[in-house]
Amino acid sequence: MDQAFTLLSQWGGNLVVGAINTVLISLCAYGLGFILGLSGAVGKLSGGPIVRGVLNVYTTLVRSLPELLLIVILYYLGTQTINNLLATYEMSITINGFIAASIVLGFVSGAYQTEVLRGAIQAIPIGQIEAGMAYGMSPALRFRRIVLPAMLPHAIPGMSNLWLNITKDSALVGVVGYAELTLQTRQAAGGTKWYFTFYLASMALYLAISLVSLWFFRRLESRVRVGQARV
Amino acid sequence: MTDAPAPSLLQVFADQTASAFALVLWVAAGLYLALWLYGKLVTFGRTYDDNSAVARAMPDLVTLTGYAVTVAFGLFALFWLLGGFLGATKWFWFGKYLPQILNGLWITMQMLVLSLVVGFIFAIPVGLVQVNGPRPLAWLAKGYCTVIRGTPLLLQLYMLYYGLGSLFQSYPEIRQSFLWPILREGYYYGFLALTLSVIGYEGEIMRGAFLAVPKGELEAARAFGMSRTTLLRRIWLPRAVRTVLPTLGGEVISQLKSTPVVSTVTVFDLFGVATKIRQETYRVYEPLLLAAVTYFILVYILSRIIARIEAQVPQKR
């Protein structure tokens, strides 16, 4: 038992760094996914046939493939494409693992977020949007003042789920070699042979991330639901 | 400099068919344009007899040629794309690895079906005790669901495979026992991790499902003098499952998408075989592409089956 604590204090720093990396990757990917998801949802609802077709292919394809497979494909495809592009200009860079991981996870999450946000926008009573039009609001103003605030209560449960998914999917990035929490744990456990100690510790870290996020999203939901009738 | 390699038979075939289709396309497009112009001209001039055979057949002719052009163009595009795709990618490994791919597919299906069936059987009590079990058991079940749902499946799998695996290895009695060949296999750890995950996720779903059954129905069952097991078997469970059927269907799909993680503990499921082919043939994308297409088809078939089951069960809305 004492030895377990000594080892934990030796390797604890690595685990904490891994946990911070996991949170940072998840945040970046979630932000990117939100941009993709919001533009995707707006495109799906008000775009032309070509835009809608492309977005349908994106969401259907990404949502029906395993995350691990997608992460591996996109990781290699992305890094190789960038390297090929740069090679034509006779340049070469090593692609930052953090950025690659964030982009890949964000691209995957964007497809799921598109569907959640599209559903949330569609759940807004059409009369509210029409009222905005009747006031002569421009589409951008209408989106900012009416669509966005009215959509949030419908979107937050789904978005909260997707955030929890992204923190867990970020573990898969370790498979392509980025040192987030799972890979750090694996290295610490493999190096010391105290498997259970480290896996339990990192499970506790993941659990803490999940529970804090859940608490945060609950607060957020009750905040955006102000003024709504309780169901 | 070396000579350009001779084009493969497939490429020649693709080129030939492409040119044949281009010819057909050219002729058909010309015919269509001529007919259309003719139709415009005669309509514009209003000089033709409305009842003449040519005038009556004209719209049909134009439509038919339109279809022909569309089909020809579609086939042309298809062959052109296919030819280009096959020319740019390499599939020489496909025949050699086909048995392994099929075996991988079979293992993926095993993982999916076994973990879902076994997991669901255990998820029922895990959901039930959270609703009406004794406090400590309810807390235990709730805690279990929270931990499983709050940590990555990959980590759970590593914990079982490396943690439990190394624990077993440290006992010579186990290492020499008849169970050792089983306890060494990644397959069983993968199955265990997937099943535990199903129990966690579906246990939570079943908790909500049991709560959603109207109280009056349960009271009616008790008024009939049903025992607790009969009530569960005849009323509570069927009604609960029915209310969450769409959610369970979604879980089946997401379970299929979770199965590839078992390939990280040396299980050769579909994704594992694809990874192996990549390592042995140095083809980076083709095996992954094949796996992606296969998973896509699997998801499509599964979602069709689920939709059919859902349509057969009457839903009270």
Side-chain angles (χ1 to χ4, degrees):
Chain A
M1 201 64 197
D2 279 345
Q3 202 188 343
F5 279 118
T6 331
L7 282 172
L8 263 185
S9 63
Q10 277 169 8
W11 289 81
N14 291 31
L15 290 198
V16 171
V17 167
I20 291 170
N21 273 339
T22 289
V23 173
L24 285 181
I25 282 189
S26 305
L27 277 176
C28 286
Y30 196 64
L32 178 67
F34 187 67
I35 295 168
L36 283 176
L38 205 55
S39 21
V42 171
K44 266 200 166 183
L45 290 174
S46 54
I50 294 175
V51 172
R52 268 183 308 182
V54 169
L55 287 171
N56 269 335
V57 170
Y58 168 53
T59 53
T60 314
L61 219 58
V62 169
R63 288 176 340 127
S64 54
L65 290 181
E67 283 84 355
L68 182 61
L69 180 74
L70 273 174
I71 286 169
V72 173
I73 289 185
L74 291 173
Y75 192 83
Y76 287 101
L77 203 66
T79 46
Q80 207 192 5
T81 311
I82 293 172
N83 272 332
N84 283 352
L85 272 180
L86 289 177
T88 54
Y89 300 105
E90 292 179 349
M91 286 173 9
S92 144
I93 51 164
T94 45
I95 283 143
N96 187 332
F98 180 85
I99 293 174
S102 306
I103 291 176
V104 168
L105 278 177
F107 184 80
V108 174
S109 181
Y112 289 88
Q113 294 195 24
T114 301
E115 289 299 307
V116 167
L117 294 173
R118 185 185 59 87
I121 292 177
Q122 276 180 326
I124 302 171
I126 194 77
Q128 297 187 5
I129 297 170
E130 283 169 354
M133 287 178 187
Y135 269 98
M137 290 184 184
S138 71
L141 190 67
R142 215 159 59 219
F143 185 78
R144 188 160 58 82
R145 287 225 186 122
I146 297 176
V147 174
L148 206 58
M151 157 196 100
L152 280 178
H154 304 294
I156 280 185
M159 294 297 282
S160 145
N161 261 338
L162 290 183
W163 164 255
L164 291 180
N165 279 350
I166 224 174
T167 54
K168 286 181 280 173
D169 285 345
S170 67
L172 301 175
V173 175
V175 174
V176 286
Y178 187 70
E180 42 65 63
L181 183 48
T182 299
L183 191 63
Q184 292 274 18
T185 312
R186 210 180 139 190
Q187 283 164 353
T192 58
K193 305 285 171 208
W194 282 69
Y195 293 97
F196 272 119
T197 316
F198 286 104
Y199 282 119
L200 281 177
S202 105
M203 270 198 169
L205 283 173
Y206 272 112
L207 203 58
I209 295 172
S210 294
L211 292 178
V212 170
S213 318
L214 275 177
W215 172 81
F216 172 77
F217 274 106
R218 215 172 294 137
R219 286 285 302 272
L220 197 66
E221 194 177 345
S222 66
R223 199 185 154 86
V224 295
R225 271 197 196 282
V226 163
Q228 267 200 349
R230 278 197 190 283
V231 188
Chain B
M1 290 298 284
T2 54
D3 292 335
S8 73
L9 202 62
L10 211 59
Q11 258 172 306
V12 174
F13 172 72
D15 288 348
Q16 298 283 327
T17 30
S19 11
F21 270 104
L23 192 68
V24 172
L25 183 72
W26 187 246
V27 172
L31 198 62
Y32 182 63
L33 195 69
L35 281 170
W36 181 76
L37 269 179
Y38 177 72
K40 278 278 160 203
L41 277 177
V42 291
T43 322
F44 184 70
R46 284 273 166 205
T47 54
Y48 64 95
D49 176 10
D50 275 343
N51 285 322
S52 78
V54 176
R56 267 182 283 131
M58 194 53 71
D60 291 341
L61 263 177
V62 173
T63 325
L64 261 176
T65 346
Y67 280 136
V69 170
T70 316
V71 168
F73 185 73
L75 283 175
F76 173 70
L78 192 74
F79 269 81
W80 185 69
L81 283 174
L82 201 66
F85 177 73
L86 289 176
T89 52
K90 292 194 174 56
W91 300 88
F92 57 89
W93 44 268
F94 185 75
K96 185 182 159 201
Y97 285 99
L98 188 61
Q100 290 185 48
I101 294 167
L102 290 177
N103 193 42
L105 191 63
W106 173 231
I107 288 182
T108 293
M109 295 316 291
Q110 282 174 6
M111 285 284 173
L112 176 70
V113 174
L114 287 179
S115 69
L116 279 172
V117 170
V118 178
F120 188 68
I121 292 170
F122 283 98
I124 294 167
V126 167
L128 197 61
V129 295
Q130 288 183 70
V131 175
N132 75 344
R135 261 318 148 66
L137 264 182
W139 281 336
L140 199 67
K142 178 103 196 116
Y144 173 78
C145 288
T146 312
V147 170
I148 292 288
R149 281 152 35 94
T151 54
L153 175 60
L154 188 68
L155 192 72
Q156 296 161 13
L157 179 62
Y158 283 169
M159 172 133 147
L160 291 174
Y161 183 68
Y162 295 108
L164 217 55
S166 69
L167 192 72
F168 287 148
Q169 201 171 17
S170 60
Y171 289 102
E173 306 92 69
I174 293 180
R175 220 167 40 220
Q176 270 134 36
S177 79
F178 69 100
L179 277 172
W180 181 237
I182 291 179
L183 293 174
R184 213 175 40 183
E185 277 294 323
Y187 180 93
Y188 298 97
Y189 293 97
F191 165 69
L192 186 62
L194 285 175
T195 308
L196 290 177
S197 157
V198 171
I199 298 173
Y201 282 91
E202 289 189 356
E204 184 70 21
I205 294 172
M206 288 315 288
R207 183 188 71 92
F210 282 124
L211 277 176
V213 175
K215 270 216 156 57
E217 293 182 18
L218 302 181
E219 282 163 6
R222 279 189 209 108
F224 267 100
M226 283 188 191
S227 69
R228 284 167 68 104
T229 46
T230 318
L231 179 142
L232 183 66
R233 186 165 55 80
R234 286 216 190 132
I235 312 285
W236 212 3
L237 186 60
R239 284 287 280 129
V241 170
R242 204 168 273 199
T243 48
V244 290
L245 210 57
T247 322
L248 288 178
E251 281 300 307
V252 172
I253 302 280
S254 65
Q255 184 67 13
L256 172 63
K257 294 193 289 171
S258 315
T259 53
V261 295
V262 299
S263 69
T264 57
V265 292
T266 71
V267 178
F268 289 107
D269 72 325
L270 188 54
F271 185 71
V273 172
T275 312
K276 188 180 165 210
I277 298 172
R278 293 178 74 204
Q279 285 161 354
E280 289 178 4
T281 63
Y282 302 110
R283 298 308 306 168
V284 184
Y285 297 113
E286 288 89 344
L288 287 177
L289 212 58
L290 182 74
V293 171
T294 317
Y295 278 113
F296 189 82
I297 295 171
L298 279 182
V299 167
Y300 181 78
I301 294 173
L302 263 184
S303 63
R304 269 306 159 89
I305 294 173
I306 290 165
R308 183 161 287 189
I309 293 172
E310 268 173 36
Q312 279 175 356
V313 175
Q315 289 276 328
K316 200 178 152 199
R317 283 249 112 221

